[in-house]
Amino acid sequence: MKIDNAGKALANYSGPAKTAPRDHVKTDGAEQESVAINPLASKIGAVERSLGAEPSFDAAKVDAIKQAIASGEFRVDAGAIADKLITSARELLGR
């Protein structure tokens, strides 16, 4: 999907969303529509709300790393990074 500077999706857009047929219920001569929400949508909404409540990063950890870099004490474990990259590549390739 391609996104422009305004954050709008440019590709994979096929026009307005198609809606499923709705059940029509008549009560007292007036017609009402009933809508059913997919249970999976409710679960996804609950997960999104719980994730939104948690901070996206640990500010204390960021500050500690920042200080370690500034003082020259921060060390990079190239072997650990390489191992994680290989593991990630294997997972992506399905091996």
Side-chain angles (χ1 to χ4, degrees), residues 43-94:
K43 289 179 184 178
I44 291 172
V47 169
E48 286 177 342
R49 285 187 296 280
S50 69
L51 290 175
E54 296 179 18
S56 60
F57 68 96
D58 184 354
K61 187 174 183 179
V62 171
D63 287 337
I65 292 171
K66 190 180 200 180
Q67 289 175 348
I69 291 171
S71 67
E73 297 173 3
F74 186 78
R75 300 284 179 244
V76 175
D77 186 355
I81 293 172
D83 289 342
K84 289 180 182 181
L85 282 171
I86 291 169
T87 300
S88 177
R90 285 184 178 150
E91 288 174 1
L92 289 171
L93 294 172

Side-chain angles (χ1 to χ4, degrees), residues 10-74:
L10 298 175
N12 299 333
Y13 179 72
S14 61
K18 295 178 182 162
T19 58
R22 297 181 180 164
D23 296 329
H24 294 279
V25 179
K26 289 188 179 186
T27 57
D28 299 333
E31 187 174 305
Q32 296 179 346
E33 295 182 7
S34 70
V35 178
I37 305 284
N38 184 332
L40 182 59
S42 299
K43 289 179 184 178
I44 291 172
V47 169
E48 286 177 342
R49 285 187 296 280
S50 69
L51 290 175
E54 296 179 18
S56 60
F57 68 96
D58 184 354
K61 187 174 183 179
V62 171
D63 287 337
I65 292 171
K66 190 180 200 180
Q67 289 175 348
I69 291 171
S71 67
E73 297 173 3
F74 186 78

